[in-house]
Amino acid sequence: MSEERTLNFLEQIVEEDIANGVNGGRVHTRFPPEPNGYLHIGHAKSICLNFGLAQKYNGKTNLRFDDTNPVTEDTEYVDSIKADIQWLGFEWAQELYASDYFEQIYNFAVQLIKNGLAYVDDSTPEEIAISKGTPTEPGKGTPYRNRSIEENLDLFARMRKGEFKDGEKVLRAKVDLASPNMHMRDPIIYRIKHAHHHRTGDSWCIYPMYDFAHGQSDSIENITHSVCTLEFIPHRPLYNWFIEQLAIFPSHQYEFARLNLTYTVMSKRKLLQLVNEKYVSGWDDPRMPTISGLRRRGYTAASIRAFCERIGVQKRDNMIDVSLLEFCIREELNKTANRVMAVLDPVKLVITNYPADQVEEMTAENNPEDPNSGTRTLPFSNTLYIEREDFMEEPPKKFFRLGRGLVVRLKNAYIIKGESFEKDADGNITTIYATYFPESKSGGDTTGLNVKGTIHWVSAAHAATAEVRLYDRLFKVEDPGNEEGDFKSYINPDSLQVIKNAYIEPSLLKAKPGDRFQFLRKGYFNVDTDSTADKLVFNRTVTLKDTWAKEAKKG
Ligand code: ATP
Ligand code: MG
C-alpha cells in the first residue's frame, strides 16, 4: 500500500479510535461472505479494505461465513471463497461460521423474550407487512404482540423442536412500531425453515435473520470495526439496539460504497443465472467478474490489489470504469510479460531470394522493459506466416506495413519488400511473395532502406498451432443491471471469439497453464487450464490499448 496517499475515511476513524484508546486500541475486522456464490471483484474491494485495515494497524481479520440461509449455501462455495482470498494474498486470523453460533444466538433470542423484547407472531407475511404501517403512519401491530413471556418462551422452544411448519410462526423483536425507520418496526429475527444446512445438517429448523445474526456474530468475535456496504445504513440503529439490549461486546458498524463496474453485473444472484443458464462456461469463465474468472483470464492478484488501492474507499455510490481494471493488469504485464510472436489470422509469405533449405536462429529480446529477462532464439526460413491484415493489395498512403513495393521489417529478422501475391477462386490472398535484404538483419546495415513499420511472423515449418480465445466485454451497455427488462438481453454476442488454429513461435511449446505473455502487437495472453499436451489454449487477458476508449471518442 502506498504511504503517500491521504487516509481514507475508515482509516481516519480507526486512527481516531486508536488515539482515544477505544477497545484498548485494538483493531479487529472481519470479512463475512455468504457462501452462496463465488467471490467477485466487488468482494475483492471489501477484502482489501478489511484485511488492509488490520494489516495497517496491527490488527486481525476473521473470515466469517455468514451461513444463516441453508437453502442457497454450499461447501463448494466455502472452498472457492477460501482459495480466492488466499490467492489474493490475505491470511485470516480465524475461519469462523455464523452457524457455529446458532446456540448462542438462540440464547440471545431467549434473553430478549425474557426481557419482554421479543414475541412469537403467528401472522402471515401480509399481515405482518400491514402491521408495520407505512413510512408516514405508525404500525398498529398484530394481536400476538402482547403474548406473555411464558407463552413466548414455550412457543419459541417448540418452534425449535420442529412442531410447526415453515412460515407458521416467526419470532419478532419488540422495538418500536412508530419508528421512522421501518427496520425498527418489530423486525423478524427468527423464521422456521425445515431445510438441510451444509454444516449443521438437520439439527436446526429455525434460522436467525441477517439482522439478528450479523451483529451478534461480530460481538461474539469482539470485532471492533464491522465494515459493510451503504445499503446497511438503515440497519445500523437495529444493529446497535440488539447489542445494547443484550449488553454484549459493542462492535460498531461502518458503511462504504460498494464497487460498481461498467459493462459488468456484480450481484451473485445475476452471476448465478449466467452460470446456470449457460451464458458462460462456469463461475470461472474468463468473462466473469469473479476472482476465479479474472484469475483464469490472466489477472494477477497484485493487479487486483492495485486496482482496489487506486479506486479507494468512498461514502457515496459511484460507477468505476472497467477500463481502469484493465489498465492495472496491462501496466503490470508490460513490466513482467515476455514478448513472443503469434500469428492469429495467418497468410503465407514466401521470401523468394532466401535459400529454401536454410534455417537461421534469430536472437530476440524477451522483454525490453526488463533488462534481466534475457533473450531467446527464433527459427527463420523462407516460408513464414504473417497476419493477413499486415498486407494490403491496394495500400493507402500511410500504410506502413506490407504491399507490393513496400518495405517493412520482420521483427528480430530482416527487412523485406513486397513483390506479388496469389489469390484463390474466392479472391482471398493465399500467398505473398517478397524479397529480403541480406544485410538488413537486426542490428545490421539498413542504409538506403526507409522502413517505417515492423511486423511479426513465425516460420511456417517451425510454428506450433494453438487455440486462442479473444474476449470482449460480456455486456453491450454500461450498466446492464439497471436497464429495462432482463439484464441478459444486454449480453454482448461477440464477447468470445475462438481462433482454432493460430500459429505460435516454437519457444511457446514449453509454456504451462497460467504463464503470461505479450503476443507482440496483439495483447497480453495467458495459458488456459484447458490446454492439453497436444494443444495449448491461450486467453487474451487484455488488449495492448484500450480499444473501447477509441470507439467512445469516435462517438
Ligand atoms: P451480492 O449482492 O453480490 O450477492 P452480497 O453482499 O450479498 O453480494 P456477501 O457474500 O454477503 O455478498 O458479501 C460479503 C461482503 O462483501 C459483505 O461485507 C459485502 O458488503 C461485501 N461486498 C459484496 N459486494 C460488494 C461490492 N460490489 N463492493 C464492495 N463490497 C462488496
Ligand atoms: Mg449479503
Side-chain angles (χ1 to χ4, degrees):
M1 214 175 258
S2 101
E3 290 300 321
E4 295 100 69
R5 68 158 169 77
T6 54
L7 297 181
N8 67 47
F9 78 94
L10 288 166
E11 291 166 338
Q12 284 173 19
I13 289 169
V14 169
E15 292 204 358
E16 257 168 58
D17 286 350
I18 293 173
N20 294 329
V22 179
N23 297 314
R26 194 171 57 82
V27 176
H28 200 155
T29 59
R30 88 285 170 266
F31 175 66
E34 193 182 339
N36 61 353
Y38 281 59
L39 296 183
H40 53 59
I41 182 76
H43 292 114
K45 175 175 178 178
S46 174
I47 290 168
C48 289
L49 178 56
N50 279 298
F51 285 88
L53 275 177
Q55 272 174 3
K56 186 161 181 175
Y57 299 106
N58 294 317
K60 288 182 190 164
T61 306
N62 290 349
L63 168 59
R64 183 201 313 139
F65 289 99
D66 212 337
D67 57 349
T68 54
N69 186 2
V71 185
T72 53
E73 295 163 2
D74 199 280
T75 42
E76 174 199 346
Y77 299 133
V78 169
D79 295 339
S80 76
I81 288 169
K82 285 161 57 177
D84 286 349
I85 298 172
Q86 283 171 330
W87 178 76
L88 278 173
F90 297 104
E91 250 176 80
W92 49 85
Q94 291 184 79
E95 175 186 335
L96 300 161
Y97 294 81
S99 58
D100 289 342
Y101 312 137
F102 279 168
E103 192 65 43
Q104 259 166 298
I105 296 172
Y106 177 84
N107 289 329
F108 286 147
V110 169
Q111 192 182 329
L112 287 183
I113 296 173
K114 285 183 177 161
N115 294 343
L117 295 173
Y119 58 97
V120 174
D121 199 326
D122 304 359
S123 311
T124 63
E126 296 73 30
E127 286 163 346
I128 289 180
I130 293 167
S131 82
K132 287 188 172 190
T134 65
T136 51
E137 258 178 86
K140 294 200 177 69
T142 67
Y144 306 100
R145 197 170 198 256
N146 297 317
R147 271 181 164 147
S148 70
I149 290 175
E150 290 66 35
E151 192 184 1
N152 282 318
L153 285 172
D154 174 60
L155 286 173
F156 189 51
R158 288 167 57 197
M159 278 169 66
R160 176 181 182 168
K161 273 193 212 144
E163 289 186 21
F164 309 110
K165 291 203 276 296
D166 286 8
E168 243 178 65
K169 291 184 170 22
V170 292
L171 184 71
R172 294 176 71 182
K174 201 185 246 184
V175 190
D176 179 4
L177 285 172
S179 171
N181 181 338
M182 297 299 282
H183 293 279
M184 299 295 272
R185 296 193 186 178
D186 290 13
I188 297 172
I189 59 175
Y190 261 94
R191 57 184 178 144
I192 301 171
K193 191 109 210 160
H194 292 271
H196 189 82
H197 185 279
H198 72 109
R199 279 176 68 86
T200 57
D202 298 312
S203 31
W204 291 89
C205 62
I206 57 172
Y207 291 93
M209 303 298 285
Y210 173 88
D211 284 320
F212 199 63
H214 201 91
Q216 286 45 59
S217 304
D218 284 344
S219 234
I220 291 168
E221 295 173 19
N222 292 330
I223 298 301
T224 55
H225 299 82
S226 176
V227 179
C228 60
T229 42
L230 294 181
E231 63 277 19
F232 290 98
I233 290 177
H235 296 248
R236 193 190 329 133
L238 190 57
Y239 181 104
N240 293 336
W241 188 87
F242 286 130
I243 285 179
E244 275 160 38
Q245 300 306 324
L246 295 166
I248 51 183
F249 180 81
S251 298
H252 279 275
Q253 176 184 307
Y254 303 91
E255 307 87 8
F256 71 103
R258 65 170 43 237
L259 170 66
N260 299 304
L261 268 186
T262 56
Y263 301 99
T264 308
V265 296
M266 208 92 85
S267 110
K268 278 185 279 187
R269 195 176 50 79
K270 292 195 172 110
L271 296 177
L272 185 63
Q273 282 182 53
L274 294 176
V275 173
N276 285 346
E277 296 169 32
K278 308 238 181 310
Y279 287 93
V280 294
S281 63
W283 284 100
D284 70 345
D285 185 297
R287 292 165 293 177
M288 289 282 270
T290 50
I291 305 296
S292 49
L294 291 167
R295 175 168 60 229
R296 189 163 168 196
R297 176 84 173 249
Y299 276 78
T300 61
S303 68
I304 294 175
R305 292 195 305 263
F307 170 73
C308 292
E309 177 68 18
R310 255 174 202 277
I311 57 176
V313 183
Q314 300 80 23
K315 280 196 221 182
R316 288 238 200 109
D317 273 320
N318 58 2
M319 180 72 91
I320 302 286
D321 195 329
V322 70
S323 59
L324 182 61
L325 180 63
E326 294 164 354
F327 169 85
C328 289
I329 186 63
R330 192 182 287 124
E331 193 182 52
E332 178 179 329
L333 293 178
N334 179 43
K335 296 190 197 112
T336 58
N338 282 349
R339 275 59 170 165
V340 292
M341 297 210 253
V343 177
L344 305 188
D345 183 15
V347 63
K348 196 179 275 184
L349 172 83
V350 177
I351 301 171
T352 52
N353 60 339
Y354 191 88
D357 54 355
Q358 186 172 315
V359 177
E360 268 180 276
E361 293 293 334
M362 300 298 184
T363 303
E365 214 179 349
N366 282 329
N367 182 356
E369 299 289 322
D370 175 4
N372 298 318
S373 63
T375 60
R376 70 186 186 290
T377 55
L378 288 166
F380 182 87
S381 65
N382 79 327
T383 307
L384 312 175
Y385 288 114
I386 63 168
E387 297 288 348
R388 188 166 286 278
E389 64 176 15
D390 282 339
F391 180 85
M392 275 186 93
E393 214 178 314
E394 304 288 348
K397 258 219 157 78
K398 292 213 162 150
F399 188 72
F400 296 134
R401 290 171 275 167
L402 204 55
R404 271 175 301 182
L406 296 186
V407 288
V408 76
R409 168 164 304 277
L410 294 171
K411 179 76 181 169
N412 299 125
Y414 296 100
I415 293 173
I416 57 169
K417 182 171 164 195
E419 304 287 356
S420 61
F421 57 86
E422 270 168 16
K423 279 185 177 178
D424 63 14
D426 300 326
N428 299 312
I429 293 176
T430 51
T431 311
I432 298 161
Y433 296 96
T435 50
Y436 86 119
F437 298 90
E439 303 303 315
S440 67
K441 195 162 157 179
S442 264
D445 182 7
T446 58
T447 345
L449 294 171
N450 182 17
V451 180
K452 291 223 172 90
T454 301
I455 64 173
H456 61 278
W457 54 273
V458 291
S459 167
H462 303 91
T465 56
E467 178 174 323
V468 176
R469 299 174 181 170
L470 303 178
Y471 300 101
D472 200 347
R473 294 176 180 173
L474 191 50
F475 290 94
K476 293 180 289 189
V477 294
E478 274 206 3
D479 194 2
N482 276 320
E483 291 282 345
E484 226 166 90
D486 187 352
F487 77 99
K488 294 185 296 285
S489 63
Y490 299 96
I491 287 183
N492 174 7
D494 304 317
S495 64
L496 169 61
Q497 187 198 340
V498 179
I499 297 171
K500 283 284 176 198
N501 282 306
Y503 287 107
I504 56 174
E505 64 169 71
S507 77
L508 278 172
L509 286 172
K510 295 194 300 270
K512 294 178 303 299
D515 286 354
R516 300 179 177 88
F517 301 93
Q518 183 193 103
F519 287 1
L520 276 175
R521 302 173 65 222
K522 288 288 151 193
Y524 293 99
F525 292 76
N526 78 330
V527 182
D528 190 77
T529 43
D530 280 348
S531 298
T532 62
D534 296 332
K535 192 153 201 178
L536 285 168
V537 177
F538 288 90
N539 298 311
R540 182 171 68 197
T541 309
V542 69
T543 55
L544 290 181
K545 283 190 215 107
D546 184 353
T547 48
W548 283 69
K550 253 193 291 176
E551 287 297 314
K553 261 185 222 143
K554 267 194 257 164

